[in-house]
Amino acid sequence: ATKAVILVGGESRGTRFRPLSLDLPKPLFDVAGHPILWHCLKAIEKVPSIHEVYLIGYYDESIFFQFLQEASKEFPHLSIKYLREYQALGTAGGLYHFRDNILNGRPERLFVLNSDVCCSFPLNEMLQLAREKDAEAVILGTRVSDDAASNFGCIVSDSHTRRVLHYVEKPESHISNLINCGVYLFSTDTIFPSIRTAIKRRADRSARLLSFRSSDNLESSFMINDDDDAQNGVIRLEQDILGDMADSKQFFVYETKDFWRQIKTAGSAIPANALYLQKAWQNGSKELAEPNLVVKGEKTDNTRPGIHPPVFIHPEAIVHDEAELGPNVSIGPGAKIGPGARISNSIVLAKAEIKPSAHVLHSIIGWGGKVGAWARVEGSPTPVTSHTTSIIKNGVKVQAITILGKECVVGDEVLVKNCVCLPFKELKRVSLSILCT
Ligand code: GDD
Ligand code: GTP
């Protein structure tokens, strides 16, 4: 059998996802009509040999309670449990801490997914490669531009055998543009001993450091950070494990040609939303709104005028027939969209209201927000190939996507462009490229 772990992080993380993570933990944020985590589960469900999934993180248990209840109904073949770290243990520390749970039932292989990535998760393909190569580890890789590569873990591989020769986490100089997508498949016989070795190496090092310190060696102060990690039990796959695996194990890379994005900043929810919607549209998902100009044979409840696919409209949203939506738009439950409103490449969250003839472009409208009549809330498009959601405007770096936190209000006829607004803010005047606090 195979099991899967999704690393969800905890309270102290996701700061770059503010202001949206002020009200909701990032893994539960809706893109393309479903929580980020749901998209991971949807992919895991397609691997026949997986029956058990663990979310590992250090959020309070209550955070995932409702999500887990709903997910258990929606994914009846999966047993999904949350395992809570007593503190942040790092991307490998949590795996090791819960090794007894994971190894229970003797799974041969273990998938590990970062929760904050958006991709088509080609898990079956990774499994096939692992079988073909009799691999101890397989990492999902993708190509990015040379200047983006150093923000990620970088992989040097043999293009013929696909073997990983070298792995460096966020290198200072360029080594490769094949990067770590944050999705792994490990043999359970390999991963836990590898983590144990890394822990032991740490312990030896801090023992040496202690004796160093007691001899009052000044140099030791340089090593304190590393030592802190060791004392806190923090072990990271990226820094402590993968480099070694490249040196000594049967470690392979599966390179995806399909889409891949990281979900870090709040603005990055916009490309993730677009990519998941496009995929759902290609797959003929019945969840999406259909333009009624197209004759599709049968008329469904989702058929409506003014739709430029792909568009997701929650069944409990109220959208006027004279509103124009899309492409790449998600409308949350209880949201209300007035006549003449024009929305594209945006997310409108639950209970937000877009008044008549307002425009919303490249933006996220927070829960319960209000955009006044004839107002314009705009961001700037980010190129599909870029892995950043900031742009340079008048020599200053600003967020490309406009984000209104929970219950922000934009007055009638007001223009808001490239702004990030904290919750409960009222915007009565033109706002350009500012942080509204
Ligand atoms: N349970 C748990 N405990 N999860 C954690 C912890 C922890 O202590 N720390 C991080 N995570 C989770 C995060 O929530 C996220 O899903 C994932 O682990 C990775 O987060 P980071 O440690 O912040 O790494 P990163 O996102 O900057 O970089 C990683 O992902 C990139 C791809 O998105 C690295 O693996 C890179 O090499 C990779 O390119
Ligand atoms: P934000 O940065 O707050 O949006 O959180 P994030 O979940 O996106 O994590 P990110 O990778 O940006 O890391 C934020 C900071 O935490 C960086 O300075 C990292 O070096 C550091 N960091 C990364 N991984 C870990 C970890 O496992 N434990 C701890 N304590 N810090 C980490």
Side-chain angles (χ1 to χ4, degrees), residues 12-17 26 58 88-91 116 170 229 234-236 238-239 262-265:
S12 65
R13 308 192 68 83
T15 52
R16 280 178 286 167
F17 205 69
K26 182 170 82 168
Y58 49 100
L89 295 176
T91 46
D116 59 356
K170 302 180 183 120
D229 266 3
V234 172
I235 289 281
R236 300 192 179 119
E238 299 88 344
Q239 286 89 341
Q262 208 178 21
I263 309 176
K264 284 291 181 194
T265 61

Side-chain angles (χ1 to χ4, degrees), residues 34 36 79-80 93 103 153 160 186 195 201 204 212-213 245 300 306 334 342 345 362 398 401 409:
H34 299 281
I36 290 171
S79 142
I80 312 164
L103 290 173
H160 185 65
F186 296 113
I195 302 177
R201 194 170 48 218
D204 290 350
F212 227 25
R213 247 188 222 162
M245 281 198 166
T300 68
R342 179 76 186 90
N345 203 36
H362 314 294
V398 296
I401 304 302
V409 178

Side-chain angles (χ1 to χ4, degrees), residues 389-405:
T389 53
S390 51
I391 50 164
I392 307 290
K393 229 171 125 175
N394 305 326
V396 183
K397 201 165 157 187
V398 296
Q399 278 303 311
I401 304 302
T402 286
I403 293 152
L404 306 186

Side-chain angles (χ1 to χ4, degrees), residues 5-159:
V5 162
I6 308 176
L7 296 168
V8 293
E11 231 48 91
S12 65
R13 308 192 68 83
T15 52
R16 280 178 286 167
F17 205 69
R18 288 176 190 163
L20 300 172
S21 54
L22 294 173
D23 298 294
L24 186 78
K26 182 170 82 168
L28 296 180
F29 186 81
D30 276 349
V31 295
H34 299 281
I36 290 171
L37 269 180
W38 180 95
H39 295 279
C40 304
L41 292 172
K42 197 74 189 164
I44 289 171
E45 188 192 33
K46 298 203 173 80
V47 182
S49 57
I50 302 182
H51 305 291
E52 284 180 71
V53 184
Y54 305 106
L55 313 183
I56 298 186
Y58 49 100
Y59 288 103
D60 193 83
E61 263 93 3
S62 62
I63 295 281
F64 295 108
F65 186 74
Q66 199 192 342
F67 174 79
L68 287 176
Q69 275 192 326
E70 289 164 7
S72 305
K73 279 189 212 129
E74 206 171 340
F75 304 101
H77 304 301
L78 296 177
S79 142
I80 312 164
K81 291 199 188 83
Y82 176 58
L83 301 176
R84 185 187 180 179
E85 293 163 39
Y86 53 92
Q87 62 178 45
L89 295 176
T91 46
L95 290 181
Y96 195 72
H97 186 72
F98 291 110
R99 62 191 180 282
D100 289 348
N101 300 60
I102 296 171
L103 290 173
N104 187 16
R106 297 174 157 273
E108 263 172 73
R109 291 197 168 92
L110 178 68
F111 277 105
V112 177
L113 279 63
N114 287 0
S115 57
D116 59 356
V117 298
C118 137
C119 68
S120 56
F121 296 106
L123 306 181
N124 281 310
E125 289 84 344
M126 289 173 71
L127 202 49
Q128 197 188 336
L129 180 69
R131 290 190 181 124
E132 266 167 34
K133 304 281 186 183
D134 196 20
E136 296 175 284
V138 173
I139 186 169
L140 184 67
T142 191
R143 301 270 168 193
V144 300
S145 66
D146 285 356
D147 49 323
S150 61
N151 298 318
F152 304 103
C154 292
I155 303 163
V156 177
S157 66
D158 179 320
S159 58

